[in-house]
Each structure stands twice: as structure tokens, then as C-alpha cells.
Amino acid sequence: MSDIAKNIAAKLIQRPSVTPDDGGCQNYIASLLAPLGFVRTQVDAGDVINSIYTRQGELGGTLAFAGHTDVVPTGPVEQWPYPPFSATIVDDILHGRGAQDMKGAIACWIAAVADLCSSYTPMPTIQLLITSDEEGESVDGTIRMVEYLQAHNKLPDAVIIGEPSCSEKVGDTIRRGRRGVVQIKAVFHGKQGHSAYPQDADNAIHRATPALSRIAAIDWGVPATGFPATSCQITNLNGGTGASNVIPGHCNAFIDIRYNPGNRFEEIKAAIESACADCDVTLSFDHVATAFSTADGPFLDQICTSIQRIAGIETLRDTGGGTSDGRFLAAAGIPVAELGTTNSTIHQVGEQVALHELTTLTAIYTDIIKHFEVQP
Ligand SMILES: [Zn+2]
């Protein structure tokens, strides 16, 4: 079983697929899944290749696995211990870009399904939702497949995302939600003038700083259960011409907000606008990602039970880190959990994964599929 996952992971790594390039990965995946009874539907958008692979189940319900074939750039190749797309295996370690994030996990899911097929184990309907646009803009990727599934009434009952969720050991952490992201550009307007003639000017920095202090002091309330408090950070502040004797006519600020599902975008927007109410200011809001959360319940319990059965460890149900494609699936009302390998080398020079992790993750995925039940 472990050899199947190892070999697939290596073949995927050997297909360079720097975002949003797929590098032929999804055709390769199709060649593995077709003999297992999967039908592929391509939902390409822009330069992005998206594939929905579906195997009609013997049991009721649909369980999906969502993942991405694109990887981040390698950085300086000469600093890698082995060439980043060589998939070199030394001792228990598979080296290469995408080993943890997340070609390893894709390989494990395919190996799990192959294993269950070979033993004629009855399964629910299985979907793989694979995009090549996760590490980049994420505008033509998973969201397009969700739109397609919605339009064709084929949304799954639950989704496992193969993002590398674990810290020390496979199964020690799943992510059941992520914070949302709002980015704001604020341009405070005043009137430029000579610093010796303030009566003829209106200092934009003097306008901006009290407003920014009020923004930094906003009380965002009690966070949703299991989430950290909303964080509001002023990340850039620029004003003035560089000359000491010129009162600035403009002052620019960037504000970055990571919010938990206890807050809503509209509420965040209103709070920022209210803090700037007495300023002549232009505010541009970018709601980069919506917060999402899968409630405690049978789906998360079942995943943790499978991890306990296979790996014998307790699982932390976490919400940390940046955003993920889970937001698009959660927005469609689907329970979402992220479970993959450890994440110690993701996006780094020298990305690698331990082969025993692939063995464990394959066994956990197999157990999850075997015991999946649709909740009424
Ligand atoms: Zn990833």
C-alpha cells in the first residue's frame, strides 16, 4: 500500500507544476483513476485546469477529496539538497517541491481508493476535486468546480482537503475552519502647505493618526468557539514628501484584518468607516477570503475516530494559519476538514516528506472512506 502512494507522489513531483501550471499532473491522475471506474469532468477556467473525478459508489452519499496540483516556485535551486523535481528518495525521505503541499496527500487518497477497489470494499460515491490554482490567485480554481457541482446538483456531502494540517505526526491536527481576510487601503486627504503657515493647510497625517488609533482599538467581541480573536493590524503608513517643511496633503495606510466567524464582513466594514467618520478619506475594501467553520459533529468525530484507530493519537481540531480553498466548499454548506501530512517544510527550499507519513495517511484515508456515513 505504501509503495503505491510513494510511487504516485514521486511521479507527481516529477511533473513540474509551478502555479498555475498543472504540468500534466491531472492527466496522470486520470490515467490512474480511470481503471478504478472514475469519470473525469474538466472544468477549466482561464489558464487553469480543474478536474472533477467521480466514481459512482455502491453505498449512499458522496465523500469528496479536494486538492491542488500546483506548487509554489522552488526558490534558489542550488540550495536544494536534491533537484526539486527529481523526487529523490533517501532513506525514509521523499524530497521535492510539493512533497507535503500537497502531492503527497493526493497520492495517499488515490492509493486508499485503489486499495479499497482491489478488495471490492463497498464505498460511497467518491469525488476528487483537483485544481491547479490554489497557490496563486485562487480565482479560477476550486470555486469554479463548486459552481459546476452546484449547477449540476452534484455537491458532495462532506469534503476532506489534503492540505498539510499536521505538526509533529500525521493525524495530530485537522483544520475545521479558517479565519477570513479583509484588506483595506485608506487614503486620508488634507491640504498640502508650508509648515510655517498651518492656517492655510490641512495636515493629512494629523487626520490619519487619530483615526488609525481608533481602528487599532476597535473591540471585535468574543471570538467564535475554537477560533482566535480577530486581529486588526495596520501594516503600512506613508505620508509626507520627504521635506521637513511641507505639511502633507495625503497619508496612505494599509490595514490587514484576520477575522473569526464571530464577525461578518459588513460589520467589519461599518466599524472601520465609523472610526474614520470625521476624516476626508477614501477607503478601498478587499474581502480576500470569507471565514468558515465546520461545527463539531459526526463528520469531524468520524475523522478523529479513524485517526485514533490507525495512528492511536488524539487529534486537535484547529483553525490556525492563513486561508484555504475550504472556504469555497464551506460557503456551499458542505462540512469541510483539512487533513494531510505534516507541514514542517512547506513552501521552503528542500521541501520533503517522510515515507512513513504517506503510509499512515493512506491508512487513515482508507479508514475514513470505509466508515463514511451521510448524516441526515
Ligand atoms: Zn496547499
Side-chain angles (χ1 to χ4, degrees):
M1 191 201 297
S2 64
D3 267 8
I4 298 178
K6 175 183 83 176
N7 292 338
I8 296 171
K11 292 265 170 39
L12 287 171
I13 290 169
Q14 285 162 357
R15 289 170 165 78
S17 53
V18 175
T19 189
D21 196 1
D22 168 65
C25 290
Q26 293 180 42
N27 284 341
Y28 169 62
I29 291 169
S31 77
L32 298 170
L33 292 179
L36 305 177
F38 282 83
V39 175
R40 178 188 190 183
T41 307
Q42 268 182 256
V43 189
D44 298 350
D47 293 335
V48 175
I49 300 180
N50 300 307
S51 300
I52 301 171
Y53 309 90
T54 307
R55 182 187 183 277
Q56 185 61 44
E58 298 80 21
L59 305 176
T62 301
L63 175 62
F65 172 90
H68 59 89
T69 49
D70 59 326
V71 297
V72 293
T74 60
V77 174
E78 66 280 4
Q79 290 179 19
W80 283 69
Y82 306 96
F85 301 112
S86 65
T88 302
I89 294 172
V90 178
D91 300 325
D92 183 50
I93 306 292
L94 169 60
H95 296 264
R97 175 58 85 221
Q100 287 182 327
D101 188 9
M102 53 171 279
K103 290 175 169 177
I106 294 174
C108 291
W109 189 269
I110 297 170
V113 174
D115 182 48
L116 290 166
C117 282
S118 70
S119 59
Y120 302 100
T121 306
M123 277 184 269
T125 294
I126 301 289
Q127 289 174 343
L128 283 84
L129 314 177
I130 307 292
T131 182
S132 67
D133 180 35
E134 197 278 340
E135 298 290 8
E137 299 285 307
S138 295
V139 292
D140 283 325
T142 302
I143 186 158
R144 300 283 165 245
M145 290 189 277
V146 171
E147 287 166 357
Y148 176 90
L149 293 168
Q150 251 165 343
H152 293 79
N153 212 6
K154 286 183 175 163
L155 284 174
D157 297 298
V159 182
I160 297 209
I161 302 182
E163 290 295 347
S165 58
C166 301
S167 319
E168 307 285 328
K169 283 181 182 167
V170 170
D172 64 8
T173 310
I174 59 171
R175 291 201 207 292
R176 45 84 70 79
R178 300 269 192 156
R179 288 182 294 179
V181 183
V182 179
Q183 289 169 346
I184 305 151
K185 185 177 181 209
V187 181
F188 294 88
H189 309 287
K191 183 169 183 281
Q192 187 176 311
H194 194 301
S195 56
Y197 301 87
Q199 68 278 12
D200 297 329
D202 181 4
N203 191 321
I205 291 180
H206 293 188
R207 296 278 177 187
T209 47
L212 292 171
S213 294
R214 287 194 292 273
I215 288 171
I218 292 173
D219 178 0
W220 298 102
V222 179
T225 311
F227 276 82
T230 291
S231 152
C232 172
Q233 297 296 320
I234 296 155
T235 52
N236 284 270
L237 182 61
N238 297 293
T241 61
S244 175
N245 59 356
V246 178
I247 290 172
H250 295 284
C251 179
N252 303 322
F254 288 127
I255 302 152
D256 185 286
I257 297 177
R258 306 293 161 129
Y259 72 95
N260 72 79
N263 299 121
R264 287 177 308 110
F265 172 67
E266 292 72 23
E267 172 193 349
I268 291 166
K269 185 164 179 276
I272 299 291
E273 285 169 346
S274 155
C276 298
D278 65 351
C279 299
D280 180 5
V281 62
T282 307
L283 294 169
S284 314
F285 290 86
D286 188 0
H287 190 190
V288 179
T290 308
F292 68 93
S293 174
T294 297
D296 280 326
F299 181 53
L300 298 185
D301 289 349
Q302 195 221 309
I303 291 170
C304 294
T305 303
S306 286
I307 292 169
Q308 179 69 46
R309 242 191 318 257
I310 300 299
I313 55 174
E314 290 291 317
T315 301
L316 174 70
R317 304 178 183 195
D318 188 47
T319 60
T323 189
S324 87
D325 272 8
R327 66 190 189 270
F328 303 121
L329 294 145
I334 305 165
V336 170
E338 300 176 26
L339 168 62
T341 64
T342 59
N343 52 29
S344 52
T345 60
I346 58 170
H347 294 211
Q348 295 179 19
V349 161
E351 185 175 348
Q352 54 173 250
V353 71
L355 295 179
H356 70 263
E357 289 195 22
L358 300 185
T359 307
T360 306
L361 187 60
T362 302
I364 292 171
Y365 283 164
T366 307
D367 197 80
I368 291 171
I369 295 169
K370 231 164 41 177
H371 294 93
F372 178 70
E373 274 177 29
V374 189
Q375 301 310 317

